[in-house]
Amino acid sequence: MSASRHPALFAADPELASFVAAEEVLQAQTLRLIPSENYVSAAVLEASGTVLQNKYSEGYPGRRYYEGQQNIDRVEALAIERAKGLFGVDHANVQPYSGSPANLAVYLAFAKPGDTVMGMALPMGGHLTHGWGVSATGSWFRGVQYGVRADTGLIDYDAVRDLALAERPKVIFCGGTALPRTIDFAAFAEIAREAGSILVADVAHIAGLIAGGAHPSPADHVDVISTTTHKTLRGPRGAMLMCREEHAKAIDKAVFPGLQGGPHNQTTAGIAVALHEAAQPSFVSYAHAVVANAKALAAALLERGFDLVSGGTDNHLILIDLTGKDVPGKIAAKALDRAGIVVNYNTVPFDPRKPFDPSGVRIGTPSLTSRGLGVAHMPQVADWITRSVDAAAKGDEQALAVIRAEVTDLMAAFPAPGLPLS
Ligand SMILES: *Cc1c(COP(=O)(O)O)cnc(C)c1O
C-alpha cells in the first residue's frame, strides 16, 4: 500500500517507511474517538509535504529578513486572509508552531513574569498552558484557577467573577480540553471587563465547530482567539492567534521575534488549504454532524448506564465518569484500545483518583464524522464501548478481540479522508 504512495521514502528508508505504513493501517482500521484528533484531507496532506519546507521566512509577508519570498508571501497572505474571513476577525497570525507556543505568545504579549494569570484548572478540563503548575505558564506566572460546580459539572460563572475581581489577573483564558458544554463567551467578556483583564478564548478543540456555525463565535467578545489548526478544524498540526486590530502588533511581535524564528511554511500552506475547506458549505454540514453524532452517542451511553460529566454534551466531546464502575479510566482506555477503539483516559472534575490513573475516559466524534458515520451508527459505538468496559472488568480478552473484528469490519466501509484503503 504505502510503498506506492511514498515510493521515495520506501526506497531511501524502508524501516521508517514501514512505521508510517503501519500507522496508515492503524488509522484506517480503528475507531478513533480521541476528541482532539481528526483526519486531514488528501489536499491538506499534500500541501503539508511540499518544498515550502525548504524556505526560511523570518518576519511577515512583505517584511522578511530573507530574500526569495515571492511565493511564500503569497502562501502566508492567503492563509491570513482566509483565517480573517472564516472567523470574522481583524487580524490573524498563522505562524505559531502549535497551540502551546501560541498561548505562550499571548502571555508574552500581555504579561510579565510573576504577574497573575487565570484559567481553568487542568483537572477540571482546562489546558496545561492556562497557568497550571507543571507548565512554564504556571511557574513563570502566578496562575489562579477556576473550575466547575460539583453538582452540575458546569462552569460556575459567579465563582469565576469572584476570583477575577479578587485577583485582577492580567490575562484570563476561557476554553479547555475536556469541556463538553458551550462556552458563554459573553459572560467571560463581562467578567474580564470588570476585572480589567485581557480575555483569551482558547478554542483549540472547537475551532471547526465555530467555523461551521455549530458553536457560538468568540470573535465579538474576546481580545484574542487562540486555536490549534489540527483538531475539529481538520488542518495540519499548527496554530493561529486572532485578534482585533488594537492587539495586532503586540501579538505579531510576541510570536516573532518574541518566541519563534522562521515559520513552518509547509504547515502554513496546509492551514491555508484547511481554511479553504472549512469555508465550504460541506464543512457547515460536517460541524453540525459532529455535534449531532456526539449528542446521539451521549444519549446511547446514558441509556446503557454510563455517567457523563455535566450529563451530556453540546459539542464534539463526551467525558465518561467511571467512578461508579469497577473499571478505572486507564484500564478501560487500554481495553478499548485492544478492541480497536482509540480513546484517552482523563481526569473528571473532583476526581478521587490520581491524574496518571484517573476515573474518566474522554471521547469525541470529529474523526468518525470525517469518515461519514452518522447518528444511526452511534448506538453501535455505544454498544462496543459498553461491551469493552464490561470485558475489561472481567479480563475477557476474547470479547475484546471479537469487538475489534467488528470495528475493523465497519471501518472498512467508511474510508478515511487522506487514507484511501487499498
Ligand atoms: C490542544 C490544546 C492546546 C495545545 O495544543 P498543542 O498543539 O498540543 O500544543 C492548547 N489549548 C487547548 C485548549 C487545547 O485543547
Side-chain angles (χ1 to χ4, degrees), residues 123-125 147-154 309 321 323 347-353 359:
M124 293 281 174
V148 295
R149 289 175 58 118
D151 54 343
T152 59
L154 302 175
V309 172
D321 184 346
T323 310
T347 53
V348 294
F350 310 100
D351 204 318
R353 303 175 64 89
S359 304

Side-chain angles (χ1 to χ4, degrees), residues 48-56 265-266:
S48 311
T50 58
V51 296
L52 301 182
Q53 184 87 246
N54 299 337
K55 192 69 196 132
Y56 242 108
N265 298 312
Q266 75 284 2

Side-chain angles (χ1 to χ4, degrees), residues 98-101 103 127 129-130 175-177 202 204-205 228 230-231 237-238:
S98 213
S100 301
N103 286 347
H127 190 260
T129 56
H130 297 182
T177 62
D202 182 349
H205 262 262
T228 59
H230 48 272
K231 299 180 184 176
R237 309 198 74 81

Side-chain angles (χ1 to χ4, degrees), residues 51-112:
V51 296
L52 301 182
Q53 184 87 246
N54 299 337
K55 192 69 196 132
Y56 242 108
S57 332
E58 286 184 355
Y60 291 101
R63 294 176 282 138
R64 304 283 191 186
Y65 290 82
Y66 294 75
E67 298 313 312
Q69 308 293 345
Q70 295 85 337
N71 305 305
I72 300 298
D73 273 6
R74 291 153 81 180
V75 169
E76 188 170 336
L78 189 58
I80 290 168
E81 282 315 305
R82 287 175 176 173
K84 285 161 62 176
L86 189 61
F87 288 95
V89 293
D90 295 341
H91 182 74
N93 185 310
V94 298
Q95 294 193 4
Y97 298 141
S98 213
S100 301
N103 286 347
L104 203 49
V106 173
Y107 291 106
L108 191 58
F110 299 109
K112 294 264 176 297

Side-chain angles (χ1 to χ4, degrees), residues 1-167:
M1 37 102 54
S2 219
S4 59
R5 297 183 63 200
H6 308 297
L9 181 58
F10 264 87
D13 191 342
E15 185 183 16
L16 185 281
S18 74
F19 301 156
V20 176
E23 179 64 17
E24 288 177 347
V25 172
L26 192 67
Q27 290 191 16
Q29 291 186 344
T30 51
L31 177 60
R32 300 170 66 235
L33 293 182
I34 294 176
S36 50
E37 294 184 350
N38 214 326
Y39 295 94
V40 298
S41 69
V44 168
L45 264 187
E46 281 184 13
S48 311
T50 58
V51 296
L52 301 182
Q53 184 87 246
N54 299 337
K55 192 69 196 132
Y56 242 108
S57 332
E58 286 184 355
Y60 291 101
R63 294 176 282 138
R64 304 283 191 186
Y65 290 82
Y66 294 75
E67 298 313 312
Q69 308 293 345
Q70 295 85 337
N71 305 305
I72 300 298
D73 273 6
R74 291 153 81 180
V75 169
E76 188 170 336
L78 189 58
I80 290 168
E81 282 315 305
R82 287 175 176 173
K84 285 161 62 176
L86 189 61
F87 288 95
V89 293
D90 295 341
H91 182 74
N93 185 310
V94 298
Q95 294 193 4
Y97 298 141
S98 213
S100 301
N103 286 347
L104 203 49
V106 173
Y107 291 106
L108 191 58
F110 299 109
K112 294 264 176 297
D115 280 351
T116 300
V117 299
M118 182 169 148
M120 189 175 219
L122 180 68
M124 293 281 174
H127 190 260
L128 280 165
T129 56
H130 297 182
W132 191 244
V134 297
S135 155
T137 63
S139 55
W140 295 344
F141 304 98
R142 183 176 156 270
V144 296
Q145 312 262 277
Y146 59 87
V148 295
R149 289 175 58 118
D151 54 343
T152 59
L154 302 175
I155 293 172
D156 184 343
Y157 289 95
D158 292 332
V160 172
R161 170 178 282 104
D162 290 347
L163 185 63
L165 293 182
E167 299 287 354

